[in-house]
Amino acid sequence: MERNVILDIQKLNTEFHTEDGIVYAVNGISFDLGEGEILGIVGESGCGKSVSMLSIMRLLQEPPAKIMADKINFFDRNLLEFSENEMENIRGSQIAMIFQDPMTSLNPILTVGDQITEALELHLGMTDKEAAHRAAELLTMAGIPEAAKRLVDYPHQFSGGMRQRVMIAMALSCSPAILIADEPTTALDVTIQAQFIDLVKRLQDQLGMAVIWITHDLGVIAGLAQRVNVMYAGRIIESGSVKDIYGNPNHPYTVGLLGSLPRPDTDRGERLYSIEGEPPDLLGDMEGCPFAPRCALAVEVCSYEVPILEQVEVNHNVACWEKEKVRKTY
């Protein structure tokens, strides 16, 4: 089936100019997103997952940030060429984002009803009455009981899980084409996490929107996404379908991430795999493969030349000089 690409990013770079020097947070990443797809972006903290999405949304202050790309096309229009007013019309209405901690994303001095109806009135031109009715529908859709009564409540009157449901109601208020979820379940307990993921899957299926789900938890992505980008040091080091990434990883970092997941078919006393060392400092230029200092398979070329992302199978790409050895070893 032919994919209808609605977001196409080519060679996105994001730098932060600081007193200590330039921080190279995102380094030449390219990917696309099809209509109705769920794309997972995984990697440890500081790898550039969130910064890349904030760059796409143009939510970073410039300066100190500097966003560069060949293109960030949303329905064939380059977002880098948009004015700030045009971007304000895109944010929330066509591309929506929900964040890790809803308590810092929701305004504590406004009712949740006011915060949801604001977008409906601004982007869709609804009256107060129409917006209030739609806000109650959205809260009900997000699984909040007695939604009409809860419109007058403040964020502190909701539990963490319920606040995250309020956030998804806000995000879906204008039926966006893309929902970006930035580690939205990290602050939730395991049971609520599962409920929230099921909710997103159900709403995504109902509304047909595309989803970009950012997380460090590959376990979440396994049952949620169709495709996965694995990021390290601001780069995509492996990308492919869930089946490719989980069943046939070709990068030692991906292997390490998968090895650190608890599995029901292993002995209770067996220790989980851990990746030795620490992520690299992104301040200043980096020579060679950024994962080389932590990689057991590194060879001389890894220390001075950055591997490019190359196709190893259909729609499966890897940036590793020793990918053949990875396949044989693991």
Side-chain angles (χ1 to χ4, degrees):
M1 188 173 70
E2 187 176 343
R3 293 171 68 233
N4 180 23
V5 173
I6 60 174
L7 184 67
D8 184 12
I9 292 98
Q10 294 297 320
K11 296 183 179 177
L12 172 64
N13 292 273
T14 304
E15 304 169 356
F16 292 95
H17 293 251
T18 72
E19 292 181 356
D20 296 324
I22 301 174
V23 177
Y24 295 92
V26 178
N27 299 292
I29 68 171
S30 301
F31 67 93
D32 59 31
L33 180 70
E35 187 176 21
E37 281 185 344
I38 301 181
L39 170 68
I41 299 182
V42 301
E44 59 197 332
S45 297
C47 72
K49 305 185 300 295
S50 298
V51 172
S52 61
M53 293 303 107
L54 293 171
S55 301
I56 291 166
M57 296 281 281
R58 301 258 310 273
L59 284 171
L60 297 173
Q61 185 174 337
E62 299 183 77
K66 184 177 181 181
I67 302 168
M68 301 162 287
D70 284 358
K71 62 180 179 181
I72 302 176
N73 276 13
F74 176 58
F75 286 111
D76 296 325
R77 297 185 65 196
N78 191 348
L79 296 182
L80 289 177
E81 298 172 355
F82 279 30
S83 68
E84 180 56 28
N85 285 340
E86 289 175 314
M87 281 306 303
E88 285 179 1
N89 289 329
I90 291 288
R91 297 184 198 115
S93 63
Q94 297 180 56
I95 306 176
M97 194 165 182
I98 53 177
F99 297 91
Q100 182 177 140
D101 184 1
M103 204 59 193
T104 59
S105 303
L106 293 168
N107 190 324
I109 63 171
L110 294 177
T111 66
V112 298
D114 285 341
Q115 295 182 66
I116 298 172
T117 56
E118 181 183 16
L120 295 168
E121 293 168 13
L122 176 66
H123 293 299
L124 302 182
M126 290 186 177
T127 64
D128 290 350
K129 187 175 180 180
E130 290 169 339
H133 179 72
R134 179 57 178 159
E137 288 181 340
L138 288 162
L139 288 178
T140 300
M141 188 188 302
I144 294 179
E146 299 185 311
K149 295 180 181 178
R150 305 291 323 250
L151 290 176
V152 297
D153 288 343
Y154 291 85
H156 73 270
Q157 294 174 274
F158 292 78
S159 66
M162 285 298 178
R163 284 195 293 268
Q164 203 60 294
R165 289 172 184 265
V166 171
M167 285 297 298
I168 199 169
M170 289 176 63
L172 300 181
S173 59
C174 298
S175 301
I178 300 173
L179 174 67
I180 300 173
D182 188 0
E183 305 213 37
T185 61
T186 300
L188 307 178
D189 66 49
V190 175
T191 304
I192 303 300
Q193 277 188 32
Q195 292 174 2
F196 186 77
I197 291 166
D198 286 343
L199 170 66
V200 172
K201 287 171 69 175
R202 176 169 56 81
L203 294 176
Q204 186 266 344
D205 190 52
Q206 286 177 10
L207 303 174
M209 63 186 172
V211 176
I212 299 176
W213 192 285
I214 303 169
T215 184
H216 60 271
D217 187 346
L218 274 84
V220 168
I221 292 298
L224 180 68
Q226 288 97 39
R227 295 191 300 125
V228 185
N229 289 342
V230 182
M231 288 192 68
Y232 187 79
R235 306 174 189 275
I236 295 174
I237 52 95
E238 186 160 11
S239 66
S241 67
V242 167
K243 183 179 178 182
D244 288 333
I245 299 299
Y246 288 74
N248 185 28
N250 274 225
H251 196 286
Y253 178 65
T254 310
V255 171
L257 289 179
L258 292 169
S260 65
L261 283 177
R263 294 170 57 99
D265 57 349
T266 55
D267 295 334
R268 277 179 176 267
E270 187 174 330
R271 291 179 64 86
L272 293 174
Y273 178 83
S274 64
I275 302 172
E276 298 295 329
E278 297 180 355
D281 185 355
L282 299 180
L283 183 65
D285 283 324
M286 185 181 302
E287 292 185 358
C289 173
F291 188 64
R294 307 173 72 183
C295 182
L297 300 179
V299 292
E300 186 179 357
V301 67
C302 303
S303 65
Y304 62 82
E305 191 168 345
V306 178
I308 59 173
L309 201 62
E310 295 180 315
Q311 182 172 305
V312 290
E313 296 169 346
V314 177
N315 298 321
H316 185 184
N317 302 295
V318 180
C320 179
W321 294 120
E322 291 294 297
K323 49 187 173 288
E324 295 292 337
K325 192 185 293 184
V326 176
R327 279 200 289 270
K328 291 176 183 176
T329 305
Y330 300 104

